Amino acid sequence: MADRDNKVKSFYGIAPKRYNKRWEEKKIKLEKCAIGFRQNPILSTRKLRIDDLVPVYKTFPRQQMAFEYARTCHQDVYVFAKEKDLQGKRIYLVATLPHFWYNYTRNCLPENRNYYEVIPEGAACRLYFDLEFKTEFNPDKDGMKMVDIFIKYVCYQLKNMYGLECGRKFIVDLDSSTAAKFSRHLIFHLPGAVFKDNIHVGTFVRHILALLQTKLEYGSEQPDSQLAERGGILCCNDRSPALIHEDNAEKRVDGVRLGELKELFVKDEKGSFVIFCDQGVYTKNRNFRIFKSTKIGKKSHLVFSSQNMFKPSPKGRKGSFSKDPDYLFFLDSLVSNVSMQVDGKDVRILTCESCVNSCKTPSKRTAQGIGSQVPTQTGYEHSSYPDIDRFVLSVVNRGGVQGEIRKWVYFPQGKLLTYDILKNQWCENIGRPHKSNHIMIVVDIKHGVYYQKCHDPDCRRIDYRSPERPIPEDIDPLMSSQRTGNSHCQTDHVCV
DNA sequence: CATTATTACTAGGGCCC
DNA sequence: GGCCCTAGTAATA
Ligand SMILES: Nc1ncnc2c1ncn2[C@H]1C[C@H](O)[C@@H](COP(=O)(O)OP(=O)(O)OP(=O)(O)O)O1
C-alpha cells in the first residue's frame, strides 16, 4: 500500500521548475480561449444542460413508422402529427418534449404551427374534452357560461362515480374560438388519478352525457318528444331537450340546476339539437391539436382561455425551459403526458367499460337462465326498489300511453330486475307496439343500465334486447354501494 | 411514395309473408 | 314489398 502511494506521489509530484513557464503559457492561452468563447458562444441560442435529454427529433411519413421508432428510444418521447396540406394529410414526428418545444417555438413561424398530439392507443391519459358550436346557428348562445355549467356537471359526475374532487384550478382551458365557431379544449388534472386510456375516457364521457339526457327527460311533462338516442350520440330532430317542467328546472344535482343543463345543447349544421361536447375525439391514436397550434390555413391558435384558472407548477421540472411559463403550460396541456407517481404515491388508474361492448359475447345468457340456478324474488306492482319502479314507470309512460307494472322478478345472481309491463307494448325491435304480446323492461342493477325485451315469439327467438340505456345514477343502487361499501379495491372501476 | 380511425350512408342479394 | 345482412363508399373529426 505504502509502495503504491509513493509511486503516485512521484508521478504527480512537484513539477520541475523548467515546466512552470510552459504551464503558465498554456494557462494564458486557455484564458484567451475562454474569453473568446464567452464573446462568441458556440451555442448562441441555447445551452445544453446536464438536465437536458439527448435530443430526439425525427419525422416519418407514416404514423406506424413513428411509433416503431419511438419504441426503440430509451427516453420519454412523444409522437406528434403535423398537417401538410388542406386535405388533412400529415407527417409524424417523434421527439422529446424540450426538443419539440425548442423547434416549435424557435424554428417554426406561428402560421406553420399546425401540430397535433397523437394520443397513443392504450396509453394512460387525462380526461379531456373538445367543446364546440357554430356561432351562425347559435347566435344567442353564451359559450363561457356553457363551459362553466359543463365543468360543474362533469365535476359532479367525477365525485359521484370516482369520489374525485375536481374544479377549475385543476383544468387546463384552451380557447381556439373564431367569429364563426366557439371552440375549447379542456384537459383535466384529476388529483392523483388518470384514465387507463382514451377509450375509457370516451366511455365515461358518453355515459355521463347519456345520463344528462335522462335527467332532462326524467319528470318531463312532454315525454313524447322528438328526442332520440342514436348510437350513443345525443341528438334530437328539431328542438332542444328543453322539456323540463318548471318544478324540475330548479331541482339541483349537486349544485347544477337541471334548468342550466339544457343550455349545453346547440344546433348543428343539419338543424338538429346536439350537446356541444364532441364525442368523436376518443378513438385510437386520436390527433388532438396542441397549445399554440392552429389548423393549417387558419389563424385560430389554441391559447389559454380567459376563463382558465390552471396554474402550471414547476415542481420537478428540469432542463433549459424549466423557467419558461409557456413550456410548463404546454407540458400540462398534453393529454398523454402523465406520470404514474405523484408525490411518491401511485396514481389511480380510472377505468370505465361499456357493458354494451363487454356483453357482445354470442353466448346466450338470458335473464331466465341465470335465475334458474338460484332462488328469485317476485311480486306485483312494487318491488323492493321503489326508485327503480318509479323510473321504469317513467320509461313506459312515454309516447302518450300509460304503461303499468304487472309483475316484477328479481334475479340476485345477475342483479337483474325484470318488469312485465301492461298497457304499453312498444317494442324497439319492430319499431311499433305489438298487437297482443307484452314487453319487459330489464334493469341491470350491477351495471346501472336498463333495456327492453318482450314476449313476442319472433323477438324471443332472436333473444332480442334493445340497446342498453343508463338509469339515472341518483337512483342507482350500484353507484352508492361502490362508493360506500367497497372502498379498498374496486373504486376505480366503473362499468356502464 | 406516404394521414388515420371510425361512423354514416347506400346498394344489392337473400328470405319471408 | 319489406326487412335484414353485407360490403363498399362517403363523410367526419
Ligand atoms: N382530417 C383529420 N385527420 C386526422 N385527425 C383529424 C382530422 N380532422 C380532425 N382531426 C383530429 C384533430 C383535431 O384536433 C380533433 C378534433 O377535430 P376538430 O374539432 O375538427 O378540430 P379542433 O378541435 O382541433 O379545432 P376546432 O374545433 O377549433 O375547429 O380531431
Side-chain angles (χ1 to χ4, degrees):
Chain A
M1 196 51 142
D3 194 35
R4 198 170 73 193
D5 281 351
N6 284 336
K7 271 182 192 161
V8 172
K9 242 183 201 159
S10 60
F11 185 78
Y12 287 108
I14 311 299
K17 274 204 175 124
R18 63 177 183 276
Y19 289 118
N20 280 357
K21 204 176 153 205
R22 204 178 281 176
W23 279 110
E24 208 55 43
E25 281 166 2
K26 281 194 171 158
K27 199 178 149 199
I28 289 162
K29 226 176 172 178
L30 274 171
E31 275 166 358
K32 271 186 189 162
C33 249
I35 291 163
F37 282 140
R38 265 196 287 275
Q39 281 169 353
N40 299 299
I42 295 167
L43 300 162
S44 57
T45 48
R46 179 168 173 262
K47 288 175 202 158
L48 272 171
R49 296 176 14 163
I50 195 90
D51 293 335
D52 285 339
L53 304 156
V54 177
V56 174
Y57 195 92
K58 215 164 148 53
T59 61
F60 301 87
R62 293 288 195 194
Q63 177 183 275
Q64 192 195 345
M65 300 163 77
F67 275 113
E68 275 164 17
Y69 176 74
R71 270 192 285 278
T72 69
C73 297
H74 295 286
Q75 305 177 63
D76 200 15
V77 292
Y78 289 77
V79 177
F80 295 92
K82 185 190 186 310
E83 277 177 305
K84 282 201 299 185
D85 56 29
L86 294 165
Q87 280 80 259
K89 298 231 175 96
R90 283 151 159 79
I91 56 159
Y92 296 88
L93 167 62
V94 179
T96 46
L97 295 178
H99 298 94
F100 173 80
W101 188 251
Y102 177 77
N103 286 317
Y104 186 60
T105 53
R106 313 269 180 105
N107 295 335
C108 186
L109 295 169
E111 59 265 38
N112 296 330
R113 289 182 195 144
N114 321 121
Y115 284 86
Y116 298 79
E117 172 184 8
V118 181
I119 303 164
E121 175 180 354
C125 70
R126 301 195 188 282
L127 174 61
Y128 62 102
F129 293 96
D130 182 19
L131 304 178
E132 55 192 25
F133 64 83
K134 294 263 172 70
T135 322
E136 186 189 350
F137 308 119
N138 304 277
D140 302 323
K141 281 281 175 183
D142 181 350
M144 297 255 218
K145 194 171 164 214
M146 290 166 68
V147 174
D148 272 337
I149 295 167
F150 185 79
I151 286 174
K152 255 200 273 180
Y153 178 66
V154 173
C155 290
Y156 156 71
Q157 288 294 8
L158 285 168
K159 171 83 179 157
N160 196 34
M161 290 175 64
Y162 299 105
L164 291 167
E165 296 284 350
C166 196
R168 269 281 182 192
K169 63 175 179 169
F170 298 108
I171 303 167
V172 176
D173 181 352
L174 297 173
D175 186 273
S176 184
S177 299
T178 61
K181 191 177 181 186
F182 179 87
S183 172
R184 291 281 179 93
H185 284 187
L186 304 181
I187 299 94
F188 280 54
H189 285 235
L190 303 176
V194 297
F195 272 88
K196 189 167 185 218
D197 61 35
N198 75 330
I199 303 301
H200 285 260
V201 174
T203 309
F204 169 75
V205 172
R206 280 185 295 270
H207 178 66
I208 65 169
L209 295 186
L211 285 177
L212 175 65
Q213 180 155 21
T214 313
K215 278 176 199 300
L216 295 180
E217 286 180 82
Y218 195 72
S220 151
E221 272 225 326
Q222 281 185 284
D224 187 19
S225 72
Q226 298 296 304
L227 284 167
E229 193 187 0
R230 293 199 313 221
I233 306 300
L234 295 171
C235 169
C236 76
N237 294 332
D238 61 352
R239 57 204 167 118
S240 161
L243 308 166
I244 301 156
H245 191 254
E246 291 301 312
D247 298 345
N248 294 322
E250 288 303 316
K251 265 192 196 162
R252 282 167 179 272
V253 274
D254 208 56
V256 194
R257 274 187 26 248
L258 278 179
E260 291 179 314
L261 293 175
K262 70 170 196 280
E263 295 182 38
L264 303 180
F265 287 78
V266 293
K267 276 219 169 191
D268 69 7
E269 33 275 291
K270 290 168 215 133
S272 303
F273 268 100
V274 292
I275 195 152
F276 84 137
C277 171
D278 181 358
Q279 292 166 82
V281 295
Y282 306 106
T283 58
K284 292 168 181 171
N285 300 318
R286 165 63 49 175
N287 286 197
F288 206 52
R289 189 150 54 91
I290 60 169
F291 183 45
K292 286 180 189 287
S293 268
T294 175
K295 279 181 172 172
I296 196 165
K298 304 217 168 146
K299 284 189 224 76
S300 57
H301 298 81
L302 275 164
V303 296
F304 38 80
S305 95
S306 61
Q307 289 176 287
N308 176 68
M309 286 171 69
F310 183 92
K311 293 274 171 296
S313 133
K315 203 169 63 175
R317 305 289 189 205
K318 292 174 179 173
S320 298
F321 295 108
S322 56
K323 300 236 156 51
D324 175 356
D326 275 357
Y327 176 64
L328 298 180
F329 198 81
F330 164 68
L331 295 180
D332 285 329
S333 70
L334 293 170
V335 173
S336 60
N337 178 25
V338 297
S339 57
M340 289 297 136
Q341 298 242 309
V342 168
D343 300 329
K345 273 187 267 179
D346 287 345
V347 300
R348 286 170 63 187
I349 306 294
L350 308 178
T351 68
C352 188
E353 269 169 312
S354 162
C355 227
V356 180
N357 289 334
S358 62
C359 292
K360 263 192 178 157
T361 46
S363 71
K364 300 262 173 172
R365 293 178 296 124
T366 64
Q368 287 76 6
I370 292 167
S372 66
Q373 298 297 318
V374 288
T376 59
Q377 300 163 19
T378 184
Y380 300 90
E381 286 185 46
H382 304 293
S383 76
S384 33
Y385 295 97
D387 283 348
I388 297 180
D389 293 354
R390 265 194 295 281
F391 173 68
V392 168
L393 280 173
S394 81
V395 169
V396 298
N397 279 349
R398 291 171 189 169
V401 290
Q402 296 277 307
E404 288 170 20
I405 294 168
R406 186 181 73 89
K407 182 190 169 196
W408 57 267
V409 184
Y410 180 62
F411 300 92
Q413 197 177 41
K415 282 207 167 190
L416 295 174
L417 194 49
T418 69
Y419 291 84
D420 285 352
I421 302 301
L422 281 178
K423 299 187 184 172
N424 183 342
Q425 290 161 297
W426 182 272
C427 173
E428 272 196 67
N429 188 30
I430 56 173
R432 58 172 172 78
H434 283 294
K435 287 179 192 69
S436 51
N437 294 306
H438 290 99
I439 62 160
M440 292 185 276
I441 299 293
V442 181
V443 178
D444 182 339
I445 294 169
K446 194 156 103 192
H447 299 117
V449 297
Y450 75 95
Y451 49 89
Q452 175 249 317
K453 289 170 66 102
C454 74
H455 296 289
D456 178 82
D458 288 334
C459 298
R460 284 197 89 115
R461 194 165 34 247
I462 60 166
D463 191 33
Y464 174 76
R465 292 175 183 202
S466 77
E468 290 172 22
R469 303 217 162 68
I471 60 178
E473 83 299 330
D474 35 25
I475 62 162
D476 180 350
L478 161 77
M479 296 300 180
S480 51
S481 71
Q482 269 204 343
R483 272 199 316 282
T484 53
N486 209 356
S487 57
H488 63 286
C489 56
Q490 289 285 330
T491 51
D492 295 356
H493 185 87
V494 172
C495 180
V496 293

